């Protein structure tokens, strides 16, 4: 538990990873203030957070890229920054939208952070910063390669900005590079909302299982992997949220200035077909699928070296691939039934 109670501003706190992290922070004794512009989330999540935590959490509907941040409370001790657009393929179609939202937001947030004399900052980064990698597993020391999407580039810009920022404004900063968060809260009440065709594997599987999609399309069956389908490193969203709590607590051990990076993944690679099999095993539901052409820019395999986060933060995932599948399915059912009731 947190001995010295702190108040943390969580930007994008009603989104997928943000909302789960809010729950973990509160359960570890932190106070939380949520900022979200609701562009990719729902205000209903705030009520669900109350149901799960029993806490009334202060909420501010603000857009970091353009709104006045001076109305935020004075008692904020640190920031966990999630708020960003994150659809890789959408970013290719609308690159300027992604640069305006993701990059402008971090510039304005850091200016505000400096004006309030806040020294602690956790950045929601991504394994996409590595680009096309030649050696596996991916280590934190792996250099950035050319970004494969504007989204990936915005995360590279965010990390580079932070490394220069701490030189002029001494602060304690950690970037967490997620691999593939999946699953949902075990209550089934909070998960990843998808109103459009999902680009991530797990929601595509659950929507297919529910009947929203006729079949799962697997993009590529001729990769140099054991079963021919791409391999990725999946990690339960609750484990990702736990990593944020550990990272924030670790900030107190860092000198001023400091910049640290951690890969957040399971350290294991799972193929698309292995994920489908895990879903069918955990739920008893068959998922129809069709193997089709590869997607441009998709790598054959990528998974994390997690030795640093294990050693420094004493972090190891608790949940299994089957847990991710079962919890994702529980959330899909809850979400769809809720939509039906509101129709």
């Amino acid at each position: 538990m947190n001995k010295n109670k702190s108040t943390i501003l969580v930007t994008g706190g009603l989104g997928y990873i943000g909302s789960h992290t809010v729950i973990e922070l509160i359960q570890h004794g932190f106070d939380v203030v949520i900022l979200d512009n609701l562009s990719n989330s729902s205000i209903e999540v705030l009520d669900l957070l109350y149901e799960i935590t029993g806490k009334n959490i202060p909420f501010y509907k603000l857009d970091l890229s353009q709104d006045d941040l001076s109305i935020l409370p004075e008692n904020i001790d640190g920031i966990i920054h999630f708020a960003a657009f994150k659809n890789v393929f959408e970013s290719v179609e609308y690159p300027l939208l992604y640069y305006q939202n993701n990059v402008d937001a971090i510039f304005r947030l850091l200016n505000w952070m400096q004006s309030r004399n806040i020294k602690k900052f956790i950045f929601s980064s991504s394994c996409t910063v590595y680009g096309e990698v030649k050696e596996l597993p991916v280590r934190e020391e792996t250099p950035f390669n050319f970004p494969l999407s504007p989204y990936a580039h915005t995360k590279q810009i965010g990390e580079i900005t932070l490394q220069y920022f701490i030189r002029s404004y001494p602060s304690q900063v950690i970037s967490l590079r997620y691999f593939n968060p999946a699953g949902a809260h075990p209550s089934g009440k909070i998960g990843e909302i998808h109103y459009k065709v999902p680009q991530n594997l797990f929601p595509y599987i659950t929507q297919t299982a529910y009947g929203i999609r006729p079949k799962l399309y697997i993009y590529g069956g001729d990769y140099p992997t054991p079963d021919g389908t791409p391999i990725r490193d999946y990690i339960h969203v609750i484990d990702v949220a736990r990593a944020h709590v550990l990272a924030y607590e670790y900030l107190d051990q860092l000198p001023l200035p400091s910049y640290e990076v951690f890969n957040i993944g399971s350290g294991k690679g799972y193929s698309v077909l292995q994920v489908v099999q895990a879903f069918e095993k955990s739920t008893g539901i068959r998922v129809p699928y069709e193997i089709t052409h590869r997607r441009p820019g998709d790598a054959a395999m990528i998974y994390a070296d997690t030795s640093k986060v294990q050693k420094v933060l004493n972090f190891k995932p608790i949940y299994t691939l089957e847990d991710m599948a079962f919890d994702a399915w529980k959330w899909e059912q809850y979400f769809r039934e809720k939509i039906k009731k509101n129709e």
Side-chain angles (χ1 to χ4, degrees):
M1 296 295 289
N2 176 39
K3 294 179 181 178
N4 300 312
K5 200 168 192 178
S6 300
T7 300
I8 303 172
L9 175 69
V10 180
T11 72
L14 297 186
Y16 178 44
I17 303 176
S19 59
H20 289 82
T21 301
V22 165
I23 293 169
E24 290 296 312
L25 288 169
I26 289 173
Q27 290 177 345
H28 283 79
F30 292 96
D31 286 331
V32 174
V33 174
I34 294 175
L35 180 154
D36 202 302
N37 68 1
L38 302 180
S39 64
N40 195 33
S41 57
S42 170
I43 191 62
E44 294 179 3
V45 174
L46 194 62
D47 293 330
L48 295 171
L49 290 174
Y50 175 77
E51 287 184 27
I52 294 169
T53 67
K55 296 284 187 179
N56 283 308
I57 306 167
F59 169 72
Y60 292 81
K61 184 178 183 299
L62 293 172
D63 188 325
L64 282 174
S65 65
Q66 58 187 2
D67 289 339
D68 181 9
L69 304 183
S70 65
I71 66 170
L72 290 168
E74 298 286 344
N75 64 330
I76 291 171
D77 302 297
I79 301 167
I80 300 180
H81 178 45
F82 294 102
F85 293 156
K86 61 175 184 174
N87 186 315
V88 169
F89 301 100
E90 183 182 63
S91 77
V92 174
E93 188 173 0
Y94 305 107
L96 295 182
L97 178 66
Y98 270 66
Y99 286 114
Q100 178 182 1
N101 184 78
N102 295 7
V103 177
D104 286 0
I106 195 168
F107 291 167
R108 298 185 79 246
L109 183 59
L110 292 176
N111 269 314
W112 175 83
M113 170 181 169
Q114 189 168 356
S115 72
R116 291 290 184 90
N117 198 34
I118 297 169
K119 301 289 188 180
K120 301 179 187 301
F121 193 93
I122 304 287
F123 180 55
S124 168
S125 191
S126 164
C127 66
T128 60
V129 297
Y130 295 115
E132 192 74 47
V133 294
K134 296 180 180 179
E135 294 185 7
L136 292 173
V138 181
R139 303 169 66 239
E140 286 85 354
E141 293 80 14
T142 300
F144 290 175
N145 291 304
F146 187 82
L148 298 178
S149 69
Y151 165 73
H153 193 210
T154 65
K155 291 300 182 182
Q156 288 184 347
I157 292 171
E159 287 207 31
I160 293 168
T161 298
L162 287 165
Q163 291 174 63
Y164 282 111
F165 175 71
I166 64 168
R167 298 181 187 182
S168 64
Y169 179 69
S171 40
Q172 299 148 310
V173 176
I174 292 176
S175 288
L176 299 181
R177 295 172 180 166
Y178 321 140
F179 277 65
N180 292 269
H185 194 268
S187 69
K189 295 181 178 180
I190 293 194
E192 189 168 13
I193 298 174
H194 281 279
Y195 295 108
K196 302 176 184 177
V197 177
Q199 301 296 331
N200 298 332
L201 178 58
F202 273 81
Y204 210 127
I205 289 174
T206 58
Q207 287 188 14
T208 302
Y210 198 83
I212 304 295
R213 313 284 167 199
K215 65 178 72 172
L216 167 71
Y217 289 97
I218 298 175
Y219 297 102
D222 58 350
Y223 284 100
T225 61
D227 62 24
T229 62
I231 288 176
R232 298 291 182 269
D233 185 334
Y234 296 96
I235 180 169
H236 199 292
V237 66
I238 295 290
D239 283 323
V240 176
R242 289 176 48 244
H244 285 81
V245 176
L246 292 171
Y248 192 86
E249 291 174 339
Y250 180 64
L251 288 174
D252 284 330
Q253 301 179 40
L254 296 176
L256 289 169
S258 289
Y259 182 78
E260 287 279 354
V261 173
F262 295 100
N263 285 336
I264 305 299
S266 66
K268 302 175 183 177
Y270 300 100
S271 73
V272 176
L273 287 179
Q274 283 180 311
V275 175
V276 171
Q277 291 161 5
F279 180 86
E280 293 180 336
K281 179 182 178 182
S282 64
T283 65
I285 300 171
R286 180 180 170 275
V287 179
Y289 66 83
E290 177 183 330
I291 296 178
T292 183
H293 56 82
R294 297 185 184 188
R295 288 187 303 195
D298 275 357
M301 64 178 76
I302 184 169
Y303 54 94
D305 180 333
T306 58
S307 56
K308 180 181 178 182
V309 74
Q310 288 182 33
K311 180 180 179 181
V312 178
L313 299 187
N314 196 27
F315 170 79
K316 287 186 178 181
I318 295 173
Y319 295 88
T320 66
L321 187 63
E322 286 75 19
D323 293 330
M324 296 179 225
F326 183 81
D327 290 340
W329 175 235
K330 191 174 181 181
W331 155 249
E332 186 72 49
Q333 293 174 290
Y334 174 85
F335 180 60
R336 296 299 163 185
E337 293 303 314
K338 193 170 184 178
I339 290 176
K340 286 181 181 179
K341 289 179 182 179
N342 293 334
E343 288 177 348

